[in-house]
């Protein structure tokens, strides 16, 4: 029923910028926290940035000052603007959302399909 669809991944040179989007669709009452995670080859998935329903944000130390997370509640969409990219940012990026569905109690966790971000030297 509910799906998180990501877009915006691709190849970019070091120092460049890239923007990611993740839109939640389906029967949704409300969305609580949303966030972006990434997983590089041979590494565990890590939290990149998170944003609450009220707009409170938090970032991994490695991306603070370079990445910006935002959301449009009317569109059920979360964004990640990535600037000053380095090869260490190369990974598959996944969006995540905690949401409430009709006639269900409690929050449900959903993941996007993942999008590849590759930063070349």
């Amino acid at each position: 029923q509910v799906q998180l669809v990501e877009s915006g991944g691709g190849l970019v040179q070091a120092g460049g910028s890239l923007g990611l989007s993740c839109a939640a669709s389906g029967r949704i009452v409300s969305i609580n926290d949303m966030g972006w995670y990434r997983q590089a080859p041979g590494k565990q998935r890590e939290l990149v940035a998170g944003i609450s329903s009220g707009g409170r944000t938090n970032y991994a130390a490695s991306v603070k000052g370079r990445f910006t997370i935002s959301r449009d509640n009317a569109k059920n969409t979360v964004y990640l603007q990535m600037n000053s990219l380095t090869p260490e940012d190369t990974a598959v990026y996944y969006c995540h959302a905690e949401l409430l569905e009709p006639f269900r109690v409690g929050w449900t966790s959903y993941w996007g399909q993942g999008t590849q971000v590759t930063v070349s030297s």
Side-chain angles (χ1 to χ4, degrees):
Q1 308 84 16
V2 175
Q3 286 188 302
L4 270 55
V5 180
E6 303 178 25
S7 62
L11 176 65
V12 65
Q13 293 183 0
S17 299
L18 203 61
L20 305 180
S21 298
C22 176
S25 62
R27 295 189 296 175
I28 300 169
V29 175
S30 63
I31 303 178
N32 193 27
D33 293 343
M34 304 185 80
W36 290 93
Y37 295 73
R38 68 185 181 188
Q39 188 165 22
K43 294 186 177 181
Q44 291 186 322
R45 186 173 300 185
E46 64 173 344
L47 175 67
V48 177
I51 184 168
S52 71
S53 61
R56 184 78 170 182
T57 61
N58 65 282
Y59 298 91
S62 60
V63 307
K64 189 173 296 184
R66 299 188 297 119
F67 291 10
T68 302
I69 188 171
S70 61
R71 63 190 289 169
D72 186 335
N73 291 331
K75 296 181 178 180
N76 290 338
T77 300
V78 62
Y79 307 93
L80 185 67
Q81 180 62 45
M82 303 181 292
N83 300 323
S84 301
L85 286 163
T86 75
E88 292 183 344
D89 296 315
T90 296
V92 177
Y93 284 70
Y94 300 88
C95 68
H96 176 264
E98 186 182 56
L99 54 83
L100 187 66
E101 299 176 70
F103 311 111
R104 293 191 63 173
V105 64
W107 301 100
T108 303
S109 180
Y110 285 90
W111 290 91
Q113 80 280 9
T115 184
Q116 177 70 48
V117 172
T118 302
V119 184
S120 63
S121 301

